[in-house]
Amino acid sequence: MLIGADYNWSIVGDRIIIGNGPTAVESKVGYLISGPIRSSGKQHSGMFHILADHKVEEVDLEKFWKIESMGIDDQSEEIKGKENLLNYAATSIDKEDGHYVAKIPWKENSPCLPTNYEIVKRRTENVIQR
């Protein structure tokens, strides 16, 4: 859920829990966790949402995120894309005289573009008549 700054304070509550790491702020949709997170020696920043009572909603929320992420993190599409990239690299990139030469990637079995012969012919005739 993306909330603009003008509506943020109508959702955020008064209870704030501050610790050494992230800060928890109570809201109408549960606790919002934000702030620095240390991971493998590096410091990252993030924002999380925690639901306290989600026994019935857990299944619905999981279904929502699966539907919401369709096409974005589909593993089969990702694997197919990697296979296509490896195939392109193996068949379309050559090294000639110390330079790499790559062919333009084309989609396989794509429909041919329509010819504009009739339009071009009509326009040419109109120009000739003028």
Side-chain angles (χ1 to χ4, degrees):
M1 177 168 54
L2 183 61
I3 301 170
D6 51 342
Y7 290 103
N8 183 51
W9 295 111
S10 64
I11 293 172
V12 174
D14 294 336
R15 184 166 179 186
I16 299 173
I17 302 170
I18 300 173
N20 291 337
T23 302
V25 179
E26 185 182 26
S27 75
K28 291 181 180 178
V29 294
Y31 277 92
L32 303 173
I33 311 286
S34 65
I37 302 168
R38 295 198 64 78
S39 171
S40 66
K42 295 181 181 176
Q43 189 168 349
H44 304 281
S45 184
M47 178 85 173
F48 305 97
H49 172 229
I50 307 289
L51 287 173
D53 299 323
H54 59 282
K55 295 172 189 160
V56 178
E57 295 176 3
E58 185 173 330
V59 175
D60 295 334
L61 191 61
E62 186 176 335
K63 285 181 185 177
F64 169 77
W65 284 115
K66 282 185 179 178
I67 291 171
E68 191 69 19
S69 65
M70 282 176 66
I72 297 173
D73 59 63
D74 188 11
Q75 296 298 326
S76 62
E77 288 293 323
E78 186 176 329
I79 291 169
K80 189 176 180 182
K82 286 181 181 178
E83 288 175 357
N84 288 343
L85 183 61
L86 290 173
N87 182 37
Y88 172 76
T91 59
S92 301
I93 300 175
D94 296 319
K95 191 170 185 179
E96 297 176 5
D97 299 326
H99 294 88
Y100 285 99
V101 177
K103 296 178 184 173
I104 297 175
W106 296 100
K107 287 185 178 180
E108 295 295 324
N109 303 324
S110 61
C112 294
L113 294 174
T115 62
N116 295 326
Y117 178 76
E118 292 299 322
I119 295 171
V120 171
K121 181 180 175 189
R122 205 171 338 120
R123 287 182 181 172
T124 305
E125 288 171 353
N126 287 341
V127 168
I128 292 172
Q129 286 178 358
R130 279 191 228 147

